[in-house]
Amino acid sequence: MKGLLREMHSWMADYMKSFYTEEDDVQNAIRLKELHTGYVTAHCRELAACLGLDEHQRQLAEMVGLFHDVGRFRQYTIYKTFNDSRSEDHAELALKVLDELPFMKKLPPEDEAVVRFAIGSHNKKAIPPTKDRQMLLMAKIIRDADKLDIYRVLRPYLTGDTSEGAPNFIEVQSRQEVSPDFLEIFVAGKQADYHQIRTHGDRKLVRLLWIYDINFSWTLRRIVEAGYVDDIIASLEPKNERMQMGIDRLQGYIKRKCAEEDCIEI
Ligand SMILES: [Fe+2]
């Protein structure tokens, strides 16, 4: 499988470069996803190693990281947006691109099914129910690796009070305050519905609530150590009692989860 993985890396590098253009906006978007792909692939590999997975599983995790956003390049070229609701689901698009690649057929069918399941579910609100442990494990790995890097990409935007630093394809709401219904979701420690976002504060909170959806303590420690959580919290408005309750709940959760050891039943 090592040779096949090398072939995949080389195809992906050429594929991403094939979208390079003289148009600055498009080029920035393509470069951003190229960089994201590199970081997420590395995170997947590292996380799989930290979880004590065998070489075959590490390679599958690396493959999932490499291809998880392969649909983004076609999405941006066709629709000029990374917004799935205005174009199409980029994970489904990734699966269509993978369908066209002859070397995917070199994978044993059970491995191909695992890779496709993990990629297809990486951007969904929750992992679709499955009894297959490999599928579930790879889906958890890619969701964590992806979020870890998205915090890096969005940091200037999530911690600032203006659109400064926001990648140009992100639509910016000007109001800072978290909406009252979002604040109550934060107090309850639940996930918010993206479609209900009304303010810039809501958008920050949605990303902060991802913390409750992180699967492994390895990932959570990396997110916390990078300062992403503290920086987002410091920029949240309004600073009132309800907000503090949400923050306390989140910080308590982080403390407990970071103290856990990741264990895998395979
Ligand atoms: Fe994605």
Side-chain angles (χ1 to χ4, degrees):
M1 186 134 102
K2 209 162 184 191
L4 178 58
L5 194 55
R6 214 173 300 126
E7 188 181 345
M8 289 170 167
H9 270 282
S10 145
W11 178 86
M12 188 63 182
D14 291 346
Y15 180 71
M16 294 187 290
K17 289 204 172 31
S18 75
F19 289 90
Y20 280 11
T21 161
E22 303 279 297
E23 268 179 86
D24 280 353
D25 282 6
V26 181
Q27 179 66 11
N28 289 342
I30 298 299
R31 280 288 296 143
L32 184 133
K33 287 298 171 193
E34 189 178 26
L35 213 62
H36 173 66
T37 296
Y39 277 115
V40 173
T41 307
H43 291 331
C44 281
R45 176 95 205 169
E46 199 182 337
L47 176 51
C50 286
L51 294 173
L53 304 188
D54 65 29
E55 184 53 26
H56 180 73
Q57 291 172 309
R58 291 183 199 191
Q59 288 170 339
L60 283 182
E62 186 174 337
M63 214 175 280
V64 170
L66 183 67
F67 290 138
H68 82 286
D69 263 356
V70 69
R72 285 299 197 188
F73 301 89
R74 195 175 286 177
Q75 180 186 41
Y76 202 84
T77 304
I78 298 174
Y79 303 102
K80 295 282 184 289
T81 180
F82 288 137
N83 186 327
D84 286 5
S85 58
R86 297 231 183 122
S87 52
E88 57 182 300
D89 184 311
H90 73 277
E92 302 307 317
L93 196 48
L95 297 181
K96 283 188 206 164
V97 175
L98 292 185
D99 265 337
E100 298 165 11
L101 304 179
F103 55 70
M104 286 303 286
K105 292 289 153 225
K106 293 185 193 168
L107 273 177
E110 61 276 18
D111 287 347
E112 191 188 359
V114 167
V115 169
R116 292 182 67 87
F117 178 84
I119 292 175
S121 56
H122 89 269
N123 65 336
K124 303 298 180 286
K125 202 168 176 193
I127 302 172
T130 174
K131 289 203 169 78
D132 188 306
R133 286 182 171 184
Q134 287 286 352
M135 285 184 177
L136 191 60
L137 175 60
M138 291 300 153
K140 284 180 174 180
I141 290 175
I142 184 58
R143 288 168 70 92
D144 271 29
D146 195 25
K147 288 186 178 78
L148 174 56
D149 192 59
I150 292 174
Y151 278 122
R152 175 191 65 81
V153 173
L154 294 184
R155 178 180 225 159
Y157 170 65
L158 291 178
T159 57
D161 54 4
T162 67
S163 63
E164 215 177 304
N168 58 13
F169 47 82
I170 289 180
E171 294 145 39
V172 174
Q173 285 87 0
S174 52
R175 267 185 54 223
Q176 286 305 307
E177 297 221 329
V178 171
S179 306
D181 50 339
F182 270 64
L183 195 49
E184 291 315 307
I185 290 169
F186 188 36
V187 172
K190 296 192 180 132
Q191 292 295 309
D193 186 345
Y194 286 56
H195 300 101
Q196 311 288 318
I197 288 175
R198 292 187 296 282
T199 71
H200 187 43
D202 294 349
R203 200 167 281 275
K204 291 179 187 184
L205 203 68
V206 162
R207 302 298 182 180
L208 192 60
L209 287 166
W210 269 3
I211 293 296
Y212 289 115
D213 195 35
I214 295 295
N215 296 296
F216 301 106
S217 56
W218 177 88
T219 320
L220 193 51
R221 285 186 213 119
R222 295 280 299 259
I223 292 169
V224 171
E225 282 160 13
Y228 301 139
V229 174
D230 285 346
D231 288 356
I232 298 172
I233 285 176
S235 76
L236 286 175
E237 300 281 348
K239 299 197 189 306
N240 60 21
E241 204 183 321
R242 300 303 282 170
M243 184 67 83
Q244 194 54 51
M245 284 174 74
I247 293 169
D248 291 346
R249 182 183 196 125
L250 183 71
Q251 286 174 335
Y253 173 82
I254 289 173
K255 208 170 168 195
R256 287 192 303 278
K257 178 90 179 169
C258 284
E260 283 175 11
E261 281 297 320
D262 287 320
C263 67
I264 301 299
E265 298 162 39
I266 282 277

